[in-house]
Amino acid sequence: TASRVDLGRIFSGEEPYVSGTVRASVEAEGTGRGLSAILGTARGRVSIRGQHLSIHGWDVDQLIDDYNRTQKFDLIDLGAVVVAGPLGPLLTRGLDIARLYGGMGHGESEIRKLVSDWEIVDGIATAQDVAFSTAKNTVAFRGDVNLVDDSLENFFVATVDQHGCAQVKQQIAGSFAHLHAPGLASKSLLGAIGSAVRGALSLGQSDRCEPFYTGSVLEAR
């Protein structure tokens, strides 16, 4: 357990892409000869939590706002930065830092709250409560990370409303060195209809969706 982990020092480069401090705890065990064998039998829990972090090179809120104009939404690299980045030393060895630097643009995002809780069973880390909030949005993650081959399994990222309903959802697949989106981002039914109709239906929205995310980041908003 570490009460103050400096992300800027851990993920340093020509320019840090994330800065701030988080609390981290790891309780895990594995057996075998060699790292792959140990990871393949690993069981335990990982938790990383922080507030008022900064992501440099991404304006997350602007990226989400732009979707309304362009209908193009790509959170692949952002997912790697926010999820794999803080978890890199603990969960994966395959994160391509150089590629992330190259894909970044301009801007900055304040991450008001980050929660990244995982359960590990036989080398598979499953997202239990993984999300972050900005001034305007909540972005959540769901799925598994295979620790042996550094790949994502049935892994999704979504922006969610106050009920945890997915507004825009995108699947992310592949290894951390070669992430890709199997399909285009999808927008929820309520997100696609006109604002007048959306307003009339908003009171019943929570009854008409299966929440994508119900974790502690929503509770803090």
Side-chain angles (χ1 to χ4, degrees), residues 110-115 131-139 217 220-221:
E110 180 195 8
I111 303 303
R112 293 190 170 184
K113 182 173 183 178
L114 168 69
V115 173
F132 70 88
S133 61
T134 66
K136 298 172 60 177
N137 294 282
T138 298
V139 180
V217 172
R221 292 197 71 86

Side-chain angles (χ1 to χ4, degrees), residues 144-160:
D144 300 325
V145 176
N146 187 315
L147 305 184
V148 178
D149 61 11
D150 294 319
S151 65
L152 300 179
E153 300 178 357
N154 197 31
F155 200 88
F156 293 86
V157 56
T159 62
V160 299

Side-chain angles (χ1 to χ4, degrees), residues 7 104 113 120 193 205:
L7 297 180
M104 287 186 170
K113 182 173 183 178
I120 305 171
I193 60 180
Q205 181 171 354

Side-chain angles (χ1 to χ4, degrees), residues 115-146:
V115 173
S116 190
D117 293 347
W118 301 78
E119 182 176 9
I120 305 171
V121 177
D122 295 335
I124 303 297
T126 299
Q128 299 293 304
D129 185 354
V130 182
F132 70 88
S133 61
T134 66
K136 298 172 60 177
N137 294 282
T138 298
V139 180
F141 303 82
R142 190 168 70 186
D144 300 325
V145 176
N146 187 315

Side-chain angles (χ1 to χ4, degrees), residues 46-115:
V46 174
S47 178
I48 297 175
R49 299 191 173 216
Q51 297 183 19
H52 306 298
L53 312 175
S54 294
I55 295 180
H56 310 285
W58 291 92
D59 186 333
V60 176
D61 289 330
Q62 186 62 54
L63 176 68
I64 295 172
D65 287 344
D66 286 347
Y67 175 75
N68 294 324
R69 296 185 298 100
T70 66
Q71 300 296 296
K72 294 180 180 179
F73 193 71
D74 189 353
L75 285 182
I76 293 178
D77 286 338
L78 178 61
V81 169
V82 174
V83 178
L87 292 175
L90 306 177
L91 292 181
T92 179
R93 306 165 307 286
L95 182 63
D96 188 347
I97 298 294
R99 181 179 63 84
L100 296 180
Y101 281 139
M104 287 186 170
H106 302 286
E108 186 166 319
S109 300
E110 180 195 8
I111 303 303
R112 293 190 170 184
K113 182 173 183 178
L114 168 69
V115 173

